[in-house]
Amino acid sequence: QEICRAFAEKQGWMIVGSSTDDNISGMNFSRRGLDMLTAAVQAKQVDAVLVKDLSRLGRHRTQTALFIDFLRQQQVRVISATEGVDTFCEEDDLMIGVRGLMNDYYAKDIGKKIRAGYRQKQQEGLVITPPFGYWKDRNTNQVLVYPEAAETVQLIYALYLQGCGQKEITRWLNTEGRKTPAQLRAEWCGKEVRHTHKTRDGQFLWTYASVKNILVEEAYTGVLNNHRREYNNGKAKHIDKTDWYRHEGFFPVIIGKQEWEQVQRMLKRQA
């Protein structure tokens, strides 16, 4: 922003507004800053858009080119302070195209590197969000048992092995007021957790799905399974079980191996 302000001052231009999108990927064109800019352009409030470089406008090659064309149609130029590019200058069209290719490639390349680094950490068993029943000491990276949650896990397994159905277990947990995974996360973080199942009076509720998730979670036997899904452009792709990264003896044991396997057999029979 300082670079843009200094550039405008040197040219004797008046800045009528600014918009930013901190910590949001330039591959994404659903950005509040761009929406604000578009509104200002449509209201005929600006003659030019000044950016540090074209990658600040966007890194998605096609979307960026379309946005520049939209601005041209509105008689608004884009000026890059550090690249010396002006979209009203025909001689700069080649440079704009090359920069678009470079910015698009950089974003995709850095995404691949981030995913590769994350996968390597998964192979080493370093990247985890402990399931309900555990907590992670951020200072030592050690995973420990959370007694209150672990007791709930053991109760769920015991009830299921005694013949209680998942819906019956769900009702019992809510009647007994056992804290839900979302409730404990909210208490740990000290803030409200969104997208959780709550009643109108703000109470957290157990659901059939949350009980099922606990009954199939192998971590309680000590096993860490990483690389169960991959994300690309925000889309999740489920990985075949044979390609998971499996680490035996990673977690402290909450449920015995035989007990867990017996539960899996019962779940399969009921499926």
Side-chain angles (χ1 to χ4, degrees):
Q1 290 183 54
E2 287 302 321
I3 288 170
C4 291
R5 288 195 188 98
F7 187 90
E9 189 177 333
K10 187 177 179 182
Q11 300 295 326
W13 298 336
M14 181 176 67
I15 296 176
V16 294
S18 66
S19 62
T20 59
D21 287 297
D22 291 335
N23 299 318
I24 299 177
S25 170
M27 294 295 280
N28 181 4
F29 262 70
S30 298
R31 288 150 42 201
R32 190 174 64 88
L34 276 183
D35 292 342
M36 291 169 60
L37 175 57
T38 302
V41 167
Q42 290 174 331
K44 307 295 182 186
Q45 295 173 340
V46 299
D47 300 310
V49 175
L50 183 59
V51 292
K52 181 175 80 72
D53 57 64
L54 290 176
S55 72
R56 301 302 90 197
L57 194 64
R59 287 192 180 275
H60 191 291
R61 181 174 78 253
T62 308
Q63 294 275 34
T64 304
L66 287 170
F67 191 66
I68 288 173
D69 281 345
F70 159 74
L71 293 173
R72 279 176 174 153
Q73 290 168 9
Q74 301 293 320
Q75 298 301 307
V76 174
R77 70 208 313 152
V78 178
I79 297 166
S80 169
T82 61
E83 296 164 323
V85 170
D86 183 339
T87 57
F88 273 17
C89 182
E90 288 185 9
E91 290 82 1
D92 286 350
D93 282 352
L94 178 59
M95 176 64 76
I96 292 166
V98 170
R99 288 288 179 186
L101 278 167
M102 290 171 62
N103 293 331
D104 189 282
Y105 173 78
Y106 174 82
K108 288 173 181 172
D109 185 54
I110 207 75
K112 285 179 186 174
K113 287 175 180 173
I114 289 169
R115 285 193 295 274
Y118 189 79
R119 199 171 297 126
Q120 178 62 34
K121 289 183 177 179
Q122 286 182 323
Q123 285 178 325
E124 296 166 1
L126 295 176
V127 177
I128 59 161
T129 301
F132 180 73
Y134 301 101
W135 68 283
K136 184 176 179 179
D137 188 321
R138 299 296 174 184
N139 295 317
T140 64
N141 283 331
Q142 188 178 6
V143 177
L144 305 167
V145 170
Y146 193 97
E148 183 181 0
E151 183 182 55
T152 300
V153 170
Q154 289 167 340
L155 284 168
I156 290 171
Y157 274 79
L159 288 168
Y160 189 72
L161 287 168
Q162 288 168 21
C164 294
Q166 293 170 67
K167 288 182 180 177
E168 189 180 349
I169 293 171
T170 302
R171 285 194 295 269
W172 182 85
L173 291 168
N174 286 323
T175 301
E176 292 295 311
R178 303 294 304 191
K179 290 182 180 178
T180 67
Q183 187 175 355
L184 284 177
R185 278 200 304 274
E187 290 177 3
W188 292 336
C189 298
K191 59 183 179 182
E192 183 65 44
V193 176
R194 296 178 182 177
H195 309 303
T196 56
H197 194 78
K198 294 167 71 175
T199 58
R200 285 182 183 176
D201 59 1
Q203 284 204 313
F204 291 88
L205 286 179
W206 282 92
T207 64
Y208 178 92
S210 54
V211 170
K212 176 72 178 289
N213 288 340
I214 285 170
L215 287 171
V216 299
E217 180 54 75
E218 196 177 3
Y220 300 127
T221 68
V223 177
L224 168 64
N225 285 308
N226 267 336
H227 192 230
R228 291 192 278 191
R229 61 186 65 85
E230 282 184 347
Y231 292 90
N232 196 356
N233 292 328
K235 294 180 181 177
K237 173 191 170 188
H238 289 277
I239 305 298
D240 190 86
K241 196 169 183 177
T242 56
D243 294 322
W244 290 0
Y245 302 146
R246 188 177 175 85
H247 305 274
E248 298 276 355
F250 188 92
F251 294 103
V253 173
I254 292 176
I255 300 295
K257 193 83 172 175
Q258 289 183 332
E259 189 179 348
W260 184 83
E261 287 174 349
Q262 186 181 347
V263 166
Q264 305 320 298
R265 288 192 294 271
M266 291 171 65
L267 286 168
K268 277 185 181 177
R269 284 200 298 269
Q270 292 173 358

